[in-house]
Amino acid sequence: MRNHLLPICLLLVGCMPGPAPDDTATRASQPAAMSSLPPLKSFATPTPARPERSNADIARDFLDLSFRLESGRELAVFTRFEEPITVRVTGRPPATMMPDLAALIRRLQGEAGIDISLTNAAQANITIEALTRREIRRNLPHAACFVVPGITDISQYRRARRSARANWALLRNREKLAIFVPGDASPQELRDCLHEELAQAIGPLNDLYRLPDSVFNDDNIHAVLTGFDMLILRAYYAPELANGMTRQEVAARLPAILARLNPGGAGIPARAPARTPRNWINAIEAALGPDSSPSERQRATRRALGIAQSLGWQDHRRAFVHYAMGRLIAATDPDAAMGHFQAADRFFAATPGAGLHRAFVASQLAAHALSRGDGRTALALIEPNIPVASRFENAALLSTLMLLRAEALEITSRAPEAAQVRLDSLGWARYGFGADWAVRAKLREIGALNPLKGKRG
């Protein structure tokens, strides 16, 4: 399920799967609301990058994703749908949902080679029901969206959640399931739910913090399915695999499957990153969860940082803790926060495939530079990362970077250019943040960083 998280990740909210009751897997059209802002923008052709890791590492990732639930519970056998897979939509989908879902289906067909299609038939394998966020929280309080096997609508959820048919660990094949998504969320949040929940509905059920280039990761940096994710899904539906196989049986077939699907990964040395211990995961969940107080979040983040340091981590997981701490203390101790953001950038820079992560950090470093009136430094941080945000289809991050750029241009006496960039950002902000009030709040938040505006009163 995609969990509601604090704005630690700046603009993202996160997803996890699992079997009920303890491992519930967890992101006719309603007309779009009228807006006085420029038209909403959306991304065109996706440009996912091939994974930059060895097939040996990818095989290990595949097994850990496929034979374990996020709670840590082991799965006895491999399960998937027998193709073809049909998907239908019910509830009250907003205007952006069907185009985004159709684009996702096309990607799964073309990039993952899966026989999957949309249908209006009630007998569809997968039902995606668009609900309100309130309805979702009423059923699963911390979830933004989630997926459950063995049912077709939310009315069946409470009865089914404690039954064998809705228990992922007891499944021996996948035939029918339901995905619940927030139809009243921002277009980006809804799209992110579609990507993660549909991928977990048809593929692996676990998330791994050690993956820097995947939506199968609770850090929620990635918003849409990556090249790594599509490779995992293509392998998941390889003809050599079948329902009921054990971990050992799948492991025996994976080297040949990956050699065929990802020949470039054969010559890359294995890195074999250390597994993520449960105490670190628990600390991060406490740091980002909605039920902790600010002081509890800081204590939990310090615990996570201490664990990362004791394990000698030098990768994106160590960076992520610094980033989370920087976000937590930015308002109360900006200088210490800057130290954490700079540390996060160093560790992200040392992790292959962490370019998007660095773009998030750059937005924080640029905001700090803006608040000091240093527009040139802010521009140097922002401009290389605007195409990164666009390539990874994160409209919320893209619009934030553009708004930061507009303020930096204004500080450096380029007001006409600043006005155009600010105007261009608004269509992306509408996709990323949704309602006009949320877009205007982001405008005010970033505009307040500009010391020139303060001087003007």
Side-chain angles (χ1 to χ4, degrees), residues 57-68 74 206 208 210 232 246-252 254 275:
D57 284 338
I58 293 172
R60 175 175 174 246
D61 297 335
F62 184 100
L63 293 169
D64 286 347
L65 287 169
S66 304
F67 285 93
R68 187 175 291 120
E74 298 285 342
N206 195 13
L208 296 172
R210 71 170 184 258
I232 291 294
T246 65
R247 183 182 178 113
Q248 292 72 25
E249 289 171 329
V250 172
L254 271 180
R275 296 189 186 278

Side-chain angles (χ1 to χ4, degrees), residues 30 81 95 98 137 156 172 215 233 244 333 348 355 365 374 427 438:
Q30 177 181 340
F81 281 102
M98 294 310 297
R137 286 195 296 270
Q156 301 170 0
R172 292 302 177 263
V215 301
L233 290 171
D333 194 345
F348 282 140
L365 297 173
D374 187 353

Side-chain angles (χ1 to χ4, degrees), residues 200-452:
Q200 294 189 312
I202 64 177
L205 293 164
N206 195 13
D207 282 336
L208 296 172
Y209 276 103
R210 71 170 184 258
L211 302 178
D213 55 353
S214 176
V215 301
F216 295 112
N217 186 328
D218 275 337
D219 68 8
N220 303 307
I221 293 293
H222 286 279
V224 299
L225 292 170
T226 66
F228 169 86
D229 299 329
M230 289 298 184
L231 174 61
I232 291 294
L233 290 171
R234 185 176 281 274
Y236 211 85
Y237 283 83
E240 296 93 328
L241 302 183
N243 278 307
M245 283 186 171
T246 65
R247 183 182 178 113
Q248 292 72 25
E249 289 171 329
V250 172
R253 290 160 175 79
L254 271 180
I257 293 171
L258 292 174
R260 184 181 77 251
L261 300 180
N262 189 46
I268 301 175
R271 293 168 61 93
R275 296 189 186 278
T276 309
R278 177 53 55 180
N279 60 345
W280 186 89
I281 294 172
N282 292 341
I284 284 293
E285 289 178 350
L288 303 187
D291 293 334
S292 303
S293 68
S295 60
E296 289 170 336
R297 293 184 191 112
Q298 288 191 35
R299 286 196 296 272
T301 308
R302 283 193 289 270
R303 285 199 304 276
L305 183 56
I307 294 166
Q309 290 169 330
S310 69
L311 294 172
W313 284 353
Q314 304 289 310
D315 62 10
H316 59 287
R317 290 171 292 183
R318 170 79 175 270
F320 183 66
V321 185
H322 283 291
Y323 179 67
M325 181 60 86
R327 288 288 293 161
L328 283 170
I329 65 175
T332 57
D333 194 345
D335 290 336
M338 276 296 293
H340 282 289
F341 290 137
Q342 289 164 346
D345 190 58
R346 287 196 303 274
F347 289 114
F348 282 140
T351 303
L356 180 60
H357 304 65
R358 296 192 73 191
F360 276 98
V361 177
S363 70
Q364 300 297 329
L365 297 173
H368 187 77
L370 272 182
S371 69
R372 300 195 319 269
D374 187 353
R376 294 186 184 278
T377 296
L379 287 171
L381 288 161
I382 295 163
E383 289 179 341
N385 287 294
I386 286 177
V388 175
S390 180
R391 186 168 70 251
F392 286 99
E393 301 185 42
N394 193 313
L397 176 59
L398 175 59
S399 61
T400 296
L401 290 169
M402 293 175 74
L403 289 169
L404 289 167
R405 182 170 182 254
E407 300 303 329
L409 289 168
E410 204 166 89
I411 288 173
T412 54
S413 304
R414 295 157 68 183
E417 191 178 350
Q420 186 59 55
V421 170
R422 190 176 291 112
L423 180 64
D424 291 345
S425 75
L426 296 179
W428 294 116
R430 287 192 62 201
Y431 188 90
F433 298 108
D436 283 13
W437 66 262
V439 174
R440 296 187 191 283
K442 181 56 65 174
L443 278 165
R444 290 193 299 272
E445 175 191 334
I446 294 178
L449 296 169
N450 187 339
L452 296 181

Side-chain angles (χ1 to χ4, degrees), residues 143-198:
C145 44
F146 62 104
V147 55
V148 182
I151 64 174
T152 58
D153 63 66
I154 197 68
S155 67
Q156 301 170 0
Y157 173 64
R158 287 194 181 277
R159 295 193 303 273
R161 65 183 303 182
R162 303 197 181 279
S163 69
R165 67 174 178 167
N167 191 323
W168 290 106
L170 298 179
L171 291 186
R172 292 302 177 263
N173 56 64
R174 303 189 199 181
E175 297 176 343
K176 178 177 68 174
L177 57 79
I179 296 171
F180 304 107
V181 297
D184 57 349
S186 72
Q188 178 167 314
E189 182 180 344
L190 176 55
R191 180 209 59 186
D192 296 355
C193 277
L194 291 172
H195 275 248
E196 184 159 354
E197 301 304 340
L198 188 53

Side-chain angles (χ1 to χ4, degrees), residues 113-132:
I114 296 173
D115 187 352
I116 183 170
S117 61
L118 288 166
T119 183
N120 293 321
Q123 296 76 29
N125 301 113
I126 299 172
T127 298
I128 302 176
E129 186 172 6
L131 306 170
T132 65

